Amino acid sequence: MVSRPRRFGKAGRRWLLLFHRWAGIVAGLFFALWIGSGLVMLYVPFPALTGAERLSRLAPIAWDQVTVAPEAALRAGGLGGAPAAFALEMRGGEAVYRIADRDGARATVSARTGARLGPVTPEDALRLATDGIPDGAPDARVAPVERDQWTVTARYDPLRPFLKVALGDPAGTELYVSQVTGAIALDTTRSERAWNWVGAVVHWIYLTPLRARPELWRTVLLWLSGFAALGALSGLAIGIWRLRLRRRYAGGAVTPYRGLARFHHLFGLAGGIGLSTFILSGWISMNPNRWFSSTAAPAAIRAAYAGQPPALGLAAEALSGFAGPGTRALRFVAIGGSWWIVADGPAGVPARRADDGAALDAAAIARAAGPVLPGGLRAVADLTAYDLYWYPHGSDPRPLPVLRLRFGDPDATWLHVDPRDGTILQRLDRSGRINRWLFDAAHRLDLPGLTGSRPLHDAAQWLLNLLAAGIALTGLVAGWRRLRRTLSA
């Protein structure tokens, strides 16, 4: 008589085999798509207008047009509370102040007349998008866009609706001009769009009707990736269980399988850990049960860091004194209850305090950050080289040096701050540092020795993904054969 534990063990193994077989049939196509699209994403990121790209499109500030003081512009903007962002730059041929409040609302005020500028027309959008193009863009077309594949996320909500300007150039460039502000919010090219349809859109299941509903999209990906992770883990368990290195199968084989199943088993042994890690870390990236905090500093931290600065008592004619040659944007930044002015352009001009011209330094940043979190500021480190928690990733080089501020709050929070302008670049609490290893290391291969070498990093990605592709493709074919036999029976 067979004992109960052996009976349960036999039944358990049978159910494990059945689950893996049918999970593979259901999720196998997703495995193949995630692997292929992930390799595309190594080289083509999702379209975005970087800060450097945006700055390069701006003309140097024409100081003779700046006749309105910053404080007057803030009043004309009519937004409530201290601004989250406030800058002076050119829009077409006109100097303007751009203002964003902490709720996301935007306003654009003329630096010449002090009037709040209204919505942008299609004619305005065409002029702004083609400004600076030597021969113009005679074939350019303008179309209204509320939300599309490339502007689907909530980060664009304060700028909606858009006027999309297709320049008609050989690269197939399309520029998204915000009707609210007149700023170019995004640029894409034909190549970027094409590669992203087989890259990020597939990998993240970034279908516009689904991604426009963030919680529904997150729920769908949590369940789908969770189910796929169980399928991968069950395959890994079966692969190890059926492997024999000592008491081998007939003919000295380490696997009992033949034909395609043999290749599936061997690929699984070679790449199963990598595939399971990729899929499980992908599930973790959807932040199940909200285990991990965002790496963006929340509004409360930013507000406490900014403090309550007084009125910005600067005359319009004094602003050029804070700029350097070719300055393209002048930013007014609140740090520690004071206004600081940052000149963005080809000439590196350090941030200076508006009232006395003092240069921003680590001590001023530390004083501003001290009361941000309970427990206070415990340590300040000046990072001049990358380390395990501040490192380049893909097309994001991340600036150096940075300041790492360590706090004594219950979450053991770190802030990474740019010493040039005081910008909080990243918040890492205890959960964020754990997520760095569970997702960034496991999914992106952001590992010591790889993050500093793009060729080594890409070689490791290709090796693991090709092994995973072998698992997925052999499993897909085997699953299709099994399904066909089942349906025809």
Side-chain angles (χ1 to χ4, degrees):
M1 183 176 178
V2 179
S3 67
R4 182 175 296 179
R6 289 188 63 186
R7 208 163 51 241
F8 283 153
K10 185 176 180 180
R13 289 191 294 271
R14 178 174 178 273
W15 283 107
L16 183 66
L17 286 165
L18 285 173
F19 173 79
H20 178 67
R21 177 184 299 160
W22 291 104
I25 289 173
V26 173
L29 182 59
F30 287 102
F31 284 133
L33 292 174
W34 282 330
I35 292 163
S37 59
L39 289 172
V40 171
M41 290 176 67
L42 286 177
Y43 307 101
V44 186
F46 196 74
L49 185 70
T50 66
E53 288 173 333
R54 182 179 182 278
L55 200 64
S56 70
R57 290 184 176 276
L58 295 175
I61 296 173
W63 295 107
D64 59 338
Q65 290 200 23
V66 182
T67 61
V68 176
E71 195 64 36
L74 282 175
R75 290 194 298 270
L79 303 181
F86 183 29
L88 171 68
E89 61 187 45
M90 299 299 289
R91 191 182 87 168
E94 181 178 16
V96 297
Y97 288 98
R98 297 201 184 277
I99 310 166
D101 73 9
R102 299 194 183 280
D103 294 328
R106 308 296 174 99
T108 303
V109 175
S110 170
R112 181 173 53 84
T113 67
R116 180 169 177 169
L117 303 180
V120 172
T121 66
E123 292 76 19
D124 293 332
L126 184 60
R127 176 175 54 83
L128 293 170
T130 57
D131 184 47
I133 298 177
D135 299 323
D139 298 324
R141 303 183 311 279
V142 183
V145 170
E146 178 66 30
R147 186 191 304 269
D148 69 0
Q149 184 63 58
W150 317 117
T151 61
V152 66
T153 57
R155 64 185 292 261
Y156 291 106
D157 287 352
L159 302 173
R160 302 185 198 281
F162 297 102
L163 291 165
K164 183 174 70 174
V165 181
L167 296 182
D169 60 338
T173 305
E174 295 179 351
L175 304 176
Y176 290 75
V177 180
S178 167
Q179 282 193 267
V180 177
T181 68
I184 295 174
L186 177 66
D187 62 345
T188 71
T189 63
R190 184 183 299 108
S191 174
E192 280 182 323
R193 295 189 295 272
W195 279 111
N196 267 276
W197 277 111
V198 294
V201 174
V202 171
H203 200 79
W204 296 333
I205 313 184
Y206 244 45
L207 303 176
T208 302
L210 179 62
R211 186 60 184 89
R213 297 163 175 80
E215 280 306 308
L216 175 61
W217 171 76
R218 178 175 174 273
T219 300
V220 168
L221 261 70
L222 270 172
W223 282 97
L224 179 58
S225 59
F227 177 76
L230 291 176
L233 290 170
S234 65
L236 180 61
I238 292 168
I240 295 172
W241 159 42
R242 301 308 300 270
L243 173 67
R244 286 189 186 176
L245 297 177
R246 291 184 178 178
R247 294 186 304 106
R248 299 196 174 191
Y249 297 97
V254 297
T255 173
Y257 302 108
R258 295 290 182 269
L260 187 67
R262 176 188 179 86
F263 285 105
H264 185 64
H265 188 199
L266 294 176
F267 271 121
L269 291 171
I273 293 177
L275 177 60
S276 299
T277 300
F278 279 144
I279 301 301
L280 186 59
S281 58
W283 175 73
I284 288 172
S285 75
M286 300 311 299
N287 200 4
N289 204 36
R290 312 288 183 183
W291 287 330
F292 309 108
S293 300
S294 170
T295 57
I301 286 181
R302 293 185 181 276
Y305 178 67
Q308 295 294 328
L312 189 51
L314 283 175
E317 56 269 19
L319 297 179
S320 60
F322 290 89
T327 292
R328 296 170 182 263
L330 206 65
R331 288 185 285 133
F332 308 93
V333 182
I335 302 174
S338 297
W339 284 106
W340 300 79
I341 300 183
V342 182
D344 292 327
V349 179
R352 290 188 286 163
R353 193 156 46 204
D355 54 4
D356 61 8
L360 182 66
D361 57 16
I365 291 172
R367 285 194 299 272
V372 161
L373 288 166
L377 182 62
R378 294 291 179 85
V380 179
D382 184 9
L383 301 184
T384 58
Y386 294 121
D387 67 3
L388 294 178
Y389 293 95
W390 185 257
Y391 52 86
H393 171 73
S395 59
D396 177 14
R398 289 188 174 175
L400 283 174
V402 297
L403 298 177
R404 174 175 292 155
L405 311 183
R406 298 175 184 246
F407 293 84
D409 62 307
D411 293 324
T413 300
W414 298 356
L415 295 180
H416 288 120
V417 178
D418 191 332
R420 301 168 188 82
D421 59 10
T423 300
I424 299 175
L425 301 171
Q426 184 186 54
R427 186 271 296 263
L428 275 182
D429 62 9
R430 188 177 290 106
S431 72
R433 293 191 291 276
I434 293 172
N435 192 45
R436 178 260 182 274
W437 295 105
L438 294 181
F439 173 68
D440 294 291
H443 200 79
R444 295 174 167 176
L445 295 189
D446 287 343
L447 295 165
L450 296 183
T451 55
S453 173
R454 184 64 190 263
L456 281 178
H457 179 269
D458 287 6
Q461 284 278 13
W462 275 94
L463 174 62
L464 292 177
N465 276 278
L466 288 176
L467 289 173
I471 300 171
L473 294 176
T474 54
L476 269 176
V477 175
W480 167 248
R481 290 174 178 174
R482 167 69 66 170
L483 186 62
R484 189 172 57 182
R485 286 198 301 269
T486 301
L487 294 176
S488 62

